[in-house]
Amino acid sequence: MSKHIQAVRGMNDILPDVTPAWRYLEGTVRGLFDAYGYQEIRMPIVESTELFKRSIGEVTDIVEKEMYTFEDRNGDMLTLRPEGTAGCVRAGIQNGLLHNQTQRLWYSGPMFRHERPQKGRYRQFHQIGVETFGLAGPDIDAELILMSARLWKQLGLADAVELQLNSLGSSESRTAYRAILVEYLWHHADQLDEDSQRRLNSNPLRVLDSKNPQMQALIAAAPKLSDHLDAASREHFEQLCALLDAAGVRYTINPCLVRGLDYYSKTVFEWVTDKLGAQGTVCAGGRFDGLVEQLGGRGTPAMGFAMGVERLIALLDQGGIPQQDYRPHAYLVLLGEQAQREGLLLAERLRDAVPGLRIETHCGGGSFKSQFKKADRSGAPLALILGEEECQQGRVGIKPLRDDGEQQQMSHGEAAEWLASYMQQTND
Ligand code: ATP
Ligand code: MG
C-alpha cells in the first residue's frame, strides 16, 4: 500500500464539524461591516516578494524568517501573503481607489507564515481585516475600535477580551525616541537575551515587544515612547481616548505595545485575552499613514486592523456557539426503483416551491431501515417518504423524526405548503 500523503505541517483542514462555527463568525462579521458601510475587497494570495519587503520592513520577524517565498517559472520572486495590508494598499494604488477619496474596506482569507506551529499559531491561518484610507483623524480610529468592540458583544466575547492601546507617534518622534532607547539598552546590554541583542541594532523598538519573562523588568524601566511623542500625535491620542471614554469603551494604555511591523505610526491597539495561553492577541491594528507613499502612491492617511480567525474560533468554542442550523429540514427516503428515478425531481420541485428549504435526498438505494438510519444521522427533523404506492398516487409521506408524530400522506403541492408552514412555525 502506498504511503498516505499528509497535509503540510501547520496547515489545517477545517472539517465539517467546525465549519458551522466559521460560518457563524464570518456571517456575523459580514453583517457588522455592512452596518458600518465597509466594502469587501478580495486580493490575490500571491504577491511580489518586494511588496512585503518594502511594506512590512526588512528587519521584522515576518520578512526575516517567516515568509513563504519562491521563484516563479519565469524567474520572478513571489511570496504567499503573510498579512493583508500590503496587498490591500497595492490594490488600492494600482486601481486608483485611494487618490482624493476615502475608502473603508474589509477582506478575509488565508495568510501564510513559517512559524513554529503550536496552539493558536499556524503556518496557514486566517485573518479578517479592515483598512481605511484618506481619513486622518482620531474619529476613524475610534470607529474601528467601536466596531471591533461591537463584534465581541455580538459574539458573546465582550468579557473575554480587553483593549490595549498605545501611540507610536510620528516617524520623526520615533527616530528621536529610538536613540534614547538604544542608549538605555546599551547600558543594560548584559541583561538582553539573544533576540533582543540582535534587535538592538536592527529594530530596537521590538525589544519592548519581547515576551521573555526575564526581560520584563528591564522593559518596564525603559524610557517610554509616550514621554517623547510629538505634539500632534499626543493630541491625536488624547482625542481618541476621549472618544473611547465617551462611548464607554474600556482600555489599558500599554506603553510597551509597539506591534511587529514597521509601517505603523500614531495609534496602535490590540484586543487580548487570557483564555488562550501564550497566543492571546485576537485582533491587532493601527494607523499606517506613511505606507501608501512608501509603496509609490500619494501620501494617504490609513488605519486598519486584522483579527486572527483561528484564535476567535477557539474563544467561541469555550463559550459555546449558538446553534446555527445548516442541517436539512427533511431527508427524502426513496423506496423502489420508480421512487429512486423520481426522487431527485421531486426534491427539485419542492426546492423550487419553498425557498430556503433544505432537503437531503437519499442516493444509492438500500432498505427502509438503512435509509431511516441515514435520515436520523442527517439531523433532519423530518423524513419525506416516496415509495411505490406514493409514486403511483402522485403523493408523498411526511414523518416527524424527533417526536412520535404520525406519518401523513399528501400531494406534492400540499407537501410544499406543509413544509413552508413548518419552516415558518419553527422560525427557520
Ligand atoms: P503574534 O504576536 O501573536 O505573533 P503578530 O503581531 O505577528 O501576532 P499580526 O501580524 O498583527 O500578528 O496579525 C494579526 C492577528 O493575526 C494576530 O493578532 C493573531 O490573532 C493572528 N495571527 C498572527 N499570526 C498567526 C499565526 N501564525 N497563526 C494564527 N494566527 C495568527
Ligand atoms: Mg507574529
Side-chain angles (χ1 to χ4, degrees):
M1 217 172 67
S2 56
K3 205 167 155 251
H4 288 175
I5 297 171
Q6 304 285 319
V8 176
R9 194 164 123 79
M11 304 201 180
N12 300 313
D13 301 307
I14 300 158
L15 297 175
D17 62 330
V18 292
T19 47
W22 283 67
R23 290 176 61 162
Y24 166 64
L25 174 61
E26 289 161 355
T28 308
V29 158
R30 249 184 240 124
L32 177 84
F33 292 153
D34 289 346
Y36 284 77
Y38 285 63
Q39 291 179 296
E40 185 178 5
I41 181 168
R42 303 187 186 198
M43 296 87 65
I45 286 172
V46 178
E47 300 270 2
S48 294
T49 303
E50 189 57 24
L51 174 68
F52 301 114
K53 286 194 178 169
R54 254 166 67 187
S55 56
I56 296 169
E58 298 262 5
V59 286
T60 54
D61 285 352
I62 292 181
V63 173
E64 277 181 343
K65 50 189 191 200
E66 294 175 0
M67 294 205 304
Y68 280 89
T69 295
F70 60 97
E71 197 179 313
D72 195 2
R73 286 178 192 277
N74 52 19
D76 298 333
M77 292 312 292
L78 304 180
T79 295
L80 300 186
R81 62 183 186 192
E83 51 101 60
T85 304
C88 188
V89 171
R90 196 249 336 119
I93 296 171
Q94 185 175 339
N95 297 288
L97 303 182
L98 307 186
H99 186 48
N100 273 343
Q101 50 197 314
T102 62
Q103 293 288 351
R104 289 171 156 101
L105 304 174
W106 70 272
Y107 60 82
S108 77
M111 307 293 162
F112 302 84
R113 297 183 194 179
H114 197 275
E115 306 194 68
R116 192 171 69 76
Q118 53 196 291
K119 186 168 167 278
R121 194 175 290 289
Y122 310 102
R123 290 181 173 174
Q124 174 174 328
F125 63 100
H126 296 75
Q127 286 185 341
I128 298 171
V130 165
E131 317 290 359
T132 69
F133 296 96
L135 298 161
D139 47 359
I140 190 70
D141 299 13
E143 176 174 286
L144 288 187
I145 289 171
L146 289 175
M147 186 161 76
S148 48
R150 180 176 296 274
L151 178 63
W152 314 140
K153 229 183 276 165
Q154 289 179 347
L155 295 173
L157 298 178
D159 294 332
V161 293
E162 72 157 56
L163 175 61
Q164 302 203 349
L165 206 57
N166 194 19
S167 175
L168 298 181
S170 65
S171 69
E172 296 79 39
S173 69
R174 210 153 61 241
T175 308
Y177 167 72
R178 186 185 150 122
I180 295 164
L181 179 67
V182 167
E183 195 187 316
Y184 167 83
L185 294 173
W186 264 117
H187 271 289
H188 302 84
D190 53 327
Q191 294 170 48
L192 297 178
D193 62 11
E194 205 181 307
D195 266 347
S196 299
Q197 282 178 10
R198 202 166 41 83
R199 287 175 181 151
L200 180 54
N201 296 311
S202 59
N203 197 349
L205 261 68
R206 285 300 307 278
V207 173
L208 302 177
D209 202 23
S210 166
K211 306 281 185 296
N212 183 348
Q214 259 108 57
M215 297 269 306
Q216 296 313 309
L218 184 71
I219 291 171
K224 300 276 173 290
L225 179 53
S226 46
D227 295 331
H228 298 86
L229 285 187
D230 55 293
S233 297
R234 188 188 308 279
E235 196 184 326
H236 184 106
F237 193 60
E238 280 164 7
Q239 287 174 1
L240 169 61
C241 291
L243 284 166
L244 294 178
D245 291 338
V249 175
R250 269 175 298 156
Y251 54 87
T252 309
I253 296 176
N254 175 358
C256 295
L257 183 66
V258 294
R259 309 281 308 117
L261 318 179
D262 269 3
Y263 51 58
Y264 288 110
S265 56
K266 290 190 179 151
T267 311
V268 288
F269 71 92
E270 288 191 356
W271 288 95
V272 296
T273 178
D274 56 10
K275 296 185 163 39
L276 295 177
Q279 269 56 252
T281 304
V282 295
C283 174
R287 181 163 278 286
F288 46 99
D289 289 344
L291 184 59
V292 176
E293 198 168 6
Q294 201 175 308
L295 290 177
R298 292 204 208 177
T300 305
M303 165 87 187
F305 67 71
M307 302 181 266
V309 177
E310 280 80 359
R311 294 183 194 177
L312 286 173
I313 295 286
L315 267 188
L316 283 172
D317 247 357
Q318 295 178 359
I321 295 152
Q323 261 299 316
Q324 285 291 103
D325 225 340
Y326 305 114
R327 291 172 303 185
H329 297 106
Y331 189 94
L332 176 55
V333 169
L334 302 174
L335 299 164
E337 275 177 31
Q338 191 182 355
Q340 282 183 47
R341 275 197 309 276
E342 292 179 9
L344 286 172
L345 298 179
L346 171 59
E348 289 301 316
R349 256 179 267 129
L350 290 172
R351 290 189 194 99
D352 285 342
V354 188
L357 176 65
R358 299 187 295 272
I359 301 183
E360 185 173 335
T361 306
H362 183 82
C363 288
S367 68
F368 184 84
K369 200 170 148 200
S370 74
Q371 292 198 33
F372 263 88
K373 245 193 209 153
K374 289 214 169 102
D376 199 42
R377 229 176 289 147
S378 76
L382 301 168
L384 296 177
I385 301 153
L386 192 65
E388 251 166 69
E389 210 182 295
E390 285 86 357
C391 281
Q392 264 141 40
Q393 297 170 351
R395 294 169 82 80
V396 61
I398 297 187
K399 181 171 169 45
L401 292 172
R402 309 279 159 226
D403 53 49
D404 338 305
E406 285 291 303
Q407 179 170 332
Q408 303 175 57
Q409 302 288 115
M410 52 190 93
S411 74
H412 298 175
E414 287 163 348
E417 273 170 35
W418 194 97
L419 289 165
S421 86
Y422 174 87
M423 284 163 65
Q424 221 163 30
Q425 274 165 34
T426 54
N427 213 358
D428 181 13

